RNA sequence: GGGAGCAUAGCUCAGCUGGUUUAGAGCAUCUGCCUUACAAGCAGAGGGUCCGCGGUUCGAACCCGUGUGCUCCCA
């Protein structure tokens, strides 16, 4: 006895375990075509959220489908080490145990970090299993695995030798909380309500003259080393070459003139703080200005600031204003909205800071990567992201890859006491290099760079290093699986990751890392807000899976998510998924009821019609789905299957073949029904793996599994058969509508009279038609039937006789409405055909089509008019 | 400031190369049904200035221009 509804929890645990045991997800190179997907490695600190859910559902769909298409599908799981995020977690863990990071050594810290990683690092991968993701768990990778780590360092050394990596003191984005440099991509700009302070600086040689600047960061005044004006600006021409005095600290700074300054912003006079502003730094270089670094690495004011030493720069911003005012320097304050950079990982306000860091020069390495995407060596879905990619690649800046952290790949640069350095894989090799460079140093004196590499500097090797493409070059796995097939990722990491993977792929494998890139949308809440921890609007995914089932969650997230479009997540979509589960489950219950009630073949030809129709419909949809999947239109494919199963199979097919209450079913019909059902769940399997596998096994006792059942090539669908099925549906709906409108109760039977030129066609399906519209009898007539409800479908007319008194007026209104519609339609067609230029210019088949439309409309109008006469 | 994208039913979205489109789904709404698979359901219905304006074309939701509004990216 089957349960009332589909019980998802049991099926999920049972089948995932079964698939694993059977080893369906583990792949070894063979002579089949490979279909390879590498997971975008989630952050090792991560837990599953809606973004992962979408992303991994898509990957699972692609991988499962490829597997069922006979490809050797391999989906590689893993995580990245997430320097900043993990280090923050470890520091927090230590704090709870009363240990300060500063009190322990680097090695001790790393021991704790590994402890943390072993304990919490795999959570997200376990959660993916709950979603049904068919990953090859034996291949689970981590960006700090020993081989992987060595490859990362090797790449650093190699790029250094090629001259792509250099060390330089430049302005960088400084995260004061994590106390590390960030790359440009790790800074998130947000609009912030600020104040614009107008501050006047006294001119040095004339006690009565001032120059007024405007700033949102008054605390940086302490680091000012110039004031800059536009050379064209008449207001300040007399001040060129003079000096001003910095308020509160009395530093004497030059007034310089440069086109960089816009005359219409603020006062037209710009204070220049080379140590704390990107643009000011450029000016500083150009005019050889003094650089006064007023900030410590934790964001507090340094000795060089002279005032507020040791206080946080944001506090100082508030404190300095009254002092400026008291000293008579504050002219006015206005409200001002500006963009402020925040750290992606710690949300701290990022400070521009001058710092010695390691950089990758991107100019040369990016060239093949840009070309590959532009000339479709790599396909982006949707293609609109090509623009974004090109724009970034053409304006690419050097990549700051050093991070002032311990957790990660320690930079293989080694320093001698005299400050000279070499890049080498080990202390010993560094020592040898120093020797050949004639640097006098003992091996003990050599000091390794304290910093780690940006996490993305390791994950850009992911598509080949998960197959040890670099640590074990040319091995069988990398030869077989690389380049991978499809990368599924979020558009927000197109630069962080996608672009750089393509660069690394060409640089180290001499080949693209993947053929297609599918960009998912961003999952937002119902109100269109991005899901975030701080808003608390991201639902607990595991709770949702518990509540609705993994299949329903997968359905809900996929049903309205075309590639690259954001999706507004709404639980009602999950409900729809759950309802779909139940619909399928109930269809199963119905079919199982017939299993023991089979009878020898009956004479009824109606069933032949139904079986042929559904078979053709199935073939039609198979072809459609193939086409949609090739175009990566996954949600369209799912919608198509949803409608095939719910509407065509459940609402029409099953109703048509359903025997009367406790009546036997034709054995052939039963066999076919089971076969169709199997094909349906097979098509749906990649989207909803659990329920489909369950149904597959419920339908019949069997030893194989749906998970690896191979798709067969669809046969061509017969258009005539499809249109006959379509007509039958149309007739049934029209008759039901007529019954409804005339308030004939569902239980009241009717007598149906058909006026048609295709009597044989209707006779073949008479039983079905009668059952579907609750007709006690079906007769054929040459003339109109008096005192009946008239329904016209195409060229045929139907007369409904019933006990119910006919509302002739209502009927007439209906017919007139239809008549008007048809006449307007005819008019629009006639207008086209009456236009000589249309007939001349349009394609012949288009004209032919319009002629057919005209003829059909005329026929329908005739039918309706005749019906009206008989009322 | 520079660039990109989007605007279609109450909501979320399809609509591919301009012609079976006086525009389709799903959800929501309304009407009638507890019809022996399913009320988490069945049967049916209503609902549209395809953002405004102009142009190209025999023909425009679709192409071009322009305006408006929203979103994103870069600085």
């Amino acid at each position: 006895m089957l349960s009332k509804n589909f019980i998802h929890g049991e099926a999920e645990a049972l089948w995932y375990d079964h698939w694993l045991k059977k080893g369906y997800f583990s792949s070894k190179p063979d002579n089949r075509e490979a279909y390879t997907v590498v997971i975008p490695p989630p952050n090792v600190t991560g837990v599953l959220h809606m973004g992962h859910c979408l992303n991994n559902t898509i990957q699972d769909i692609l991988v499962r489908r490829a597997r069922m298409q006979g490809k050797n599908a391999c989906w590689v799981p893993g995580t990245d080490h997430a320097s900043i995020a993990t280090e923050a977690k470890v520091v927090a863990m230590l704090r709870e145990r009363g240990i300060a990071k500063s009190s322990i050594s680097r090695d001790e810290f790393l021991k704790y970090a590994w402890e943390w990683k072993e304990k919490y690092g795999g959570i997200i991968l376990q959660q993916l299993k709950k979603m049904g993701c068919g990953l090859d768990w034996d291949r689970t990778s981590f960006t700090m695995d020993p081989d992987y780590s060595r490859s990362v360092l090797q790449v650093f050394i190699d790029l250094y030798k090629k001259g792509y990596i250099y060390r330089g003191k430049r302005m960088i984005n400084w995260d004061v909380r994590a106390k590390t440099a960030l790359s440009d991509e790790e800074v998130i700009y947000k609009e912030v309500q600020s104040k614009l302070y107008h501050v006047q600086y006294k001119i040095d040689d004339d006690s009565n003259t001032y120059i007024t600047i405007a700033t949102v960061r008054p605390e940086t005044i302490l680091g000012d080393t110039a004031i800059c004006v536009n050379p064209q600006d008449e207001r300040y021409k007399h001040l060129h070459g003079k000096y001003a005095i910095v308020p509160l600290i009395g530093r004497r700074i030059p007034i310089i003139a440069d086109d960089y300054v816009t005359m219409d912003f603020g006062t037209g006079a710009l204070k220049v703080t080379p140590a704390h502003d990107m643009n000011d730094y450029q000016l500083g270089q150009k005019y050889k200005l003094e650089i006064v670094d007023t900030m410590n690495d934790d964001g507090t004011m340094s000795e060089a600031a002279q005032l507020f030493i040791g206080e946080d720069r944001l506090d100082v911003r508030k404190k300095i204003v009254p002092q400026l005012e008291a000293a008579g320097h504050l002219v006015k304050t206005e409200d001002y909205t500006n963009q402020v950079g925040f750290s992606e990982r710690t949300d701290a306000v990022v400070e521009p800071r001058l710092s010695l860091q390691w950089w990758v020069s991107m100019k040369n390495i990016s060239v093949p990567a840009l070309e590959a995407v532009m000339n479709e060596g790599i396909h982006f879905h949707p293609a609109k992201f090509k623009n974004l990619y090109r724009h970034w690649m053409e304006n690419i800046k050097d990549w700051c890859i050093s991070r002032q952290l311990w957790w990660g790949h320690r930079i293989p640069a080694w320093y001698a006491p005299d400050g000279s350095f070499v890049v080498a894989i080990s202390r010993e090799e560094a020592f040898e290099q120093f020797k050949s460079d004639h640097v006098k140093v003992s091996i003990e004196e050599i000091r390794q760079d304290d910093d780690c590499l940006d996490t993305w500097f390791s994950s850009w090797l992911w598509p080949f290093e998960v197959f040890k493409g670099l640590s074990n070059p040319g091995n069988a796995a990398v030869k077989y699986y690389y380049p991978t097939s499809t990368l599924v990722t979020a558009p927000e990491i197109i630069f962080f990751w996608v672009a750089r993977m393509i660069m690394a792929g060409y640089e180290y494998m001499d080949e693209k890392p993947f053929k297609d890139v599918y960009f998912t949308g961003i999952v937002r809440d119902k109100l269109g807000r991005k899901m975030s921890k701080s808003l608390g609007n991201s639902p607990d995914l595991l709770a949702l899976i518990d509540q609705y089932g993994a299949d329903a969650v997968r359905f809900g997230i996929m049903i309205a998510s075309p590639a690259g479009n954001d999706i507004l997540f709404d639980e009602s979509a999950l409900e729809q998924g759950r309802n779909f589960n139940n619909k399928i489950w109930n269809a199963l219950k119905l079919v199982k009821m017939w299993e023991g009630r089979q009878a020898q073949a009956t004479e009824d030809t109606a069933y032949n019609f139904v079986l042929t129709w559904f078979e053709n419909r199935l073939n039609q949809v198979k072809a459609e789905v193939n086409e949609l999947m090739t175009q990566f239109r996954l949600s369209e494919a799912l919608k198509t299957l949803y409608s095939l199963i719910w509407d065509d199979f459940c609402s029409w097919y099953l109703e048509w073949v359903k025997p009367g209450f406790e009546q036997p079913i034709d054995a052939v019909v039963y066999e076919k029904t089971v076969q169709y059902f199997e094909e349906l769940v097979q098509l749906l399997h990649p989207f909803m793996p659990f329920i489909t596998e369950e149904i597959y096994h419920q339908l019949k006792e069997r030893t194989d599994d749906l998970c690896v059942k191979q798709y067969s090539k669809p046969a061509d669908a017969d258009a005539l058969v499809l249109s006959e099925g379509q007509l039958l549906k149309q007739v049934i709906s029209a008759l039901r509508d007529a019954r409804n409108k005339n308030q004939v109760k569902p239980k009241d039977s009717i007598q149906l009279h058909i006026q048609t030129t295709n009597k044989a066609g209707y006779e073949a399906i008479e039983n079905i038609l009668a059952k579907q519209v609750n007709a006690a009898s079906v007769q054929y007539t040459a003339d109109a039937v008096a005192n009946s409800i008239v329904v016209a479908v195409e060229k045929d007319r139907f007369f409904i006789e019933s006990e119910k008194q006919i509302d002739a007026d209502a009927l007439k209104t209906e017919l007139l409405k239809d008549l008007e519609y048809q006449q307007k339609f005819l008019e629009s067609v006639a207008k086209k055909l009456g236009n000589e230029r249309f007939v001349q210019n349009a394609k012949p088949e288009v004209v032919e089509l319009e002629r057919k439309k005209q003829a059909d409309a005329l026929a329908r109008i005739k039918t309706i008019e005749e019906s009206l006469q008989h009322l």
Side-chain angles (χ1 to χ4, degrees), chain A residues 411-430:
Chain A
I411 294 176
W414 309 82
Y415 302 87
D418 70 354
S420 59
F421 68 87
V422 296
V423 167
I425 194 76
S426 65
R427 178 178 297 270
E428 290 69 28
E429 272 188 34

Side-chain angles (χ1 to χ4, degrees), chain A residues 467-500:
Chain A
F467 302 112
K468 302 201 187 294
L470 210 55
S471 46
N472 180 12
N475 74 73
V478 77
K479 270 160 81 182
Y480 182 72
Y481 293 113
Y482 190 91
T484 69
S485 306
T486 308
L487 177 81
V488 180
T489 192
E492 28 186 21
I493 59 173
I494 186 168
F495 311 129
F496 271 126
W497 201 45
V498 179
R500 290 171 186 163

Side-chain angles (χ1 to χ4, degrees), chain A residues 305-320:
Chain A
Q306 301 181 43
L307 302 171
F308 307 107
I309 297 164
E311 296 184 52
D312 188 88
R313 82 272 186 230
L314 297 179
D315 296 333
V316 174
R317 185 170 303 171
K318 287 176 200 142
K319 284 190 179 171
I320 197 169

Side-chain angles (χ1 to χ4, degrees), chain A residues 844-859:
Chain A
E845 55 269 33
V846 172
V847 178
E848 200 39 56
L849 207 66
E850 292 299 318
R851 293 230 163 87
K852 188 178 178 301
K853 273 158 100 177
Q854 188 180 35
D856 290 352
L858 279 169

Side-chain angles (χ1 to χ4, degrees), chain A residues 121-178:
Chain A
I123 291 179
I124 191 160
L125 299 180
Q126 295 312 311
Q127 292 174 326
L128 289 174
K129 294 180 180 173
K130 294 257 185 253
M131 281 176 44
C133 293
L135 289 139
D136 185 351
W137 297 107
D138 301 332
R139 295 182 183 277
T140 306
S141 293
F142 179 52
T143 48
M144 279 172 68
D145 285 340
D147 284 347
Y148 201 116
S149 295
R150 208 165 320 118
S151 293
V152 171
L153 301 182
Q154 224 87 54
V155 164
F156 182 94
I157 293 164
D158 179 66
L159 291 179
Y160 178 75
K161 283 184 182 152
K162 286 176 180 159
Y164 289 173
I165 284 186
Y166 64 93
R167 190 166 181 245
K169 191 164 193 176
R170 304 241 310 254
M171 286 301 265
I172 46 94
N173 306 293
W174 185 258
D175 180 330
V176 298
R177 198 161 301 158

Side-chain angles (χ1 to χ4, degrees), chain A residues 741-752:
Chain A
K741 288 220 169 82
N742 290 281
Q743 281 149 13
V744 178
K745 294 276 172 202
K747 278 183 179 159
D748 299 341
S749 66
I750 56 164
Q751 275 95 48
L752 183 64

Side-chain angles (χ1 to χ4, degrees), chain A residues 174 176 293-303 309-310 353:
Chain A
W174 185 258
V176 298
D293 186 348
T294 57
M295 198 187 76
N296 295 317
D297 65 0
D298 60 355
T300 58
M301 304 304 281
S302 70
E303 302 265 344
I309 297 164
R353 189 169 192 238

Side-chain angles (χ1 to χ4, degrees), chain A residues 185-202:
Chain A
E185 288 68 36
E186 289 165 303
V187 180
I188 298 164
Y189 289 89
K190 293 185 211 166
E191 204 157 83
V192 168
Q193 286 301 322
S194 306
K195 300 264 188 230
L196 191 62
Y197 300 98
H198 293 245
V199 180
Q200 57 180 6
Y201 291 34
K202 194 164 168 291

